[in-house]
Amino acid sequence: MPVGFGGSCFQKDVLSLVYLCETLNLSKVANYFLGIVEINNYQRRRFADLIISEMFNTVTDKKIALFGFAFKKNTADTRESSAIHIGKHLLDERAHLCVYDPKVPEQNIKHELGLVTSKDIVTKYVDVFKSPYEACKNAHSIVIVTEWDEFKDLDYGKLYAVMKKPASVFDGRLLVDQKKLKEIGFRVFSIGTAKTQSLNLFP
């Protein structure tokens, strides 16, 4: 399962099924469909916890380049985007988010995050960039949340060069070539793969 589904329709439709089943006294079926939403929320939290644990159990004041904010590629729609929920968890830990999305405007990103945390926190800890290379300057990690095709073809060697070391990539959409990125020097963590990797400070 990727880092979580979003959008305005799927979760609403699932919750409608929950309501319908409850009105028909089909409690087990209702619980089954409710579990889909709960697992989706759990997956987002689990991914955020992975980021924190693999960044030495703290992201406070660390820069994290968040790649993607739309709920899926080829849209500027952010409704129920996993980026909002993951961003909130990281902001709760006082990470500094450096966000890049090719279509979502800066005001939308900050507005959505302001709904799940305080506007003061967004002002202090969230910056939005028009280039992934700018977003990665002095960042400690890259977190891929939206499956934009361009994220497959970025010059990760160039990104690695401007990041803090050790630099990590957390791939929530199974987009990147793990072997290639590890050869560059990244620590790479992808959904569905082993959680912990040994840290090599002298690649």
Side-chain angles (χ1 to χ4, degrees):
M1 181 180 181
V3 75
F5 60 78
S8 62
C9 297
F10 188 56
Q11 179 167 299
K12 174 177 62 66
D13 291 343
V14 172
L15 291 174
S16 294
L17 283 172
V18 172
Y19 175 77
L20 179 61
C21 291
E22 287 175 342
T23 59
L24 296 173
N25 294 318
L26 299 171
S27 59
K28 289 186 178 180
V29 181
N31 290 337
Y32 172 82
F33 285 116
L34 185 60
I36 295 172
V37 176
E38 291 174 346
I39 288 171
N40 192 51
N41 292 332
Y42 166 75
Q43 185 76 333
R44 292 161 167 171
R45 178 77 230 198
R46 179 170 171 261
F47 190 62
D49 287 343
L50 170 67
I51 295 165
I52 294 165
S53 66
E54 293 297 345
M55 292 182 70
F56 311 104
N57 292 314
T58 180
V59 292
T60 302
D61 292 325
K62 292 180 179 178
K63 287 188 175 183
I64 297 176
L66 196 67
F67 279 11
F69 204 84
F71 85 89
K72 66 176 182 179
K73 68 178 181 179
N74 301 327
T75 181
D77 192 343
T78 61
R79 287 174 291 182
E80 284 300 320
S81 171
S82 291
I84 298 169
H85 300 273
I86 293 165
K88 176 194 182 304
H89 295 318
L90 296 175
L91 289 171
D92 286 344
E93 299 293 328
R94 297 301 181 263
H96 187 149
L97 300 185
C98 302
V99 186
Y100 167 72
D101 187 284
K103 281 197 174 184
V104 181
E106 177 177 352
Q107 61 267 27
N108 291 26
I109 292 170
K110 291 188 173 181
H111 172 74
E112 291 284 4
L113 290 172
L115 295 176
V116 296
T117 188
S118 74
K119 291 184 179 180
D120 289 341
I121 292 295
V122 172
T123 299
K124 184 175 181 180
Y125 289 100
V126 178
D127 290 300
V128 180
F129 295 85
K130 294 184 177 180
S131 160
Y133 300 97
E134 289 296 319
C136 282
K137 283 186 178 178
N138 295 314
H140 295 80
S141 67
I142 296 168
V143 176
I144 300 173
V145 187
T146 309
E147 68 278 20
W148 288 102
D149 290 334
E150 72 174 81
F151 297 158
K152 300 176 186 178
D153 301 321
L154 294 173
D155 185 341
Y156 281 92
K158 183 177 177 181
L159 294 173
Y160 183 79
V162 300
M163 293 176 66
K164 296 280 189 181
K165 309 300 185 296
S168 303
V169 173
F170 297 89
D171 182 4
R173 297 293 178 181
L174 297 176
L175 283 184
V176 299
D177 183 332
Q178 292 188 51
K179 184 175 182 292
K180 181 178 178 181
L181 266 59
K182 288 176 184 177
E183 289 172 351
I184 291 171
F186 282 107
R187 302 172 72 227
V188 185
F189 305 90
S190 298
I191 288 289
T193 61
K195 178 181 176 182
T196 304
Q197 299 173 39
S198 60
L199 175 59
N200 182 6
L201 293 176
F202 304 99

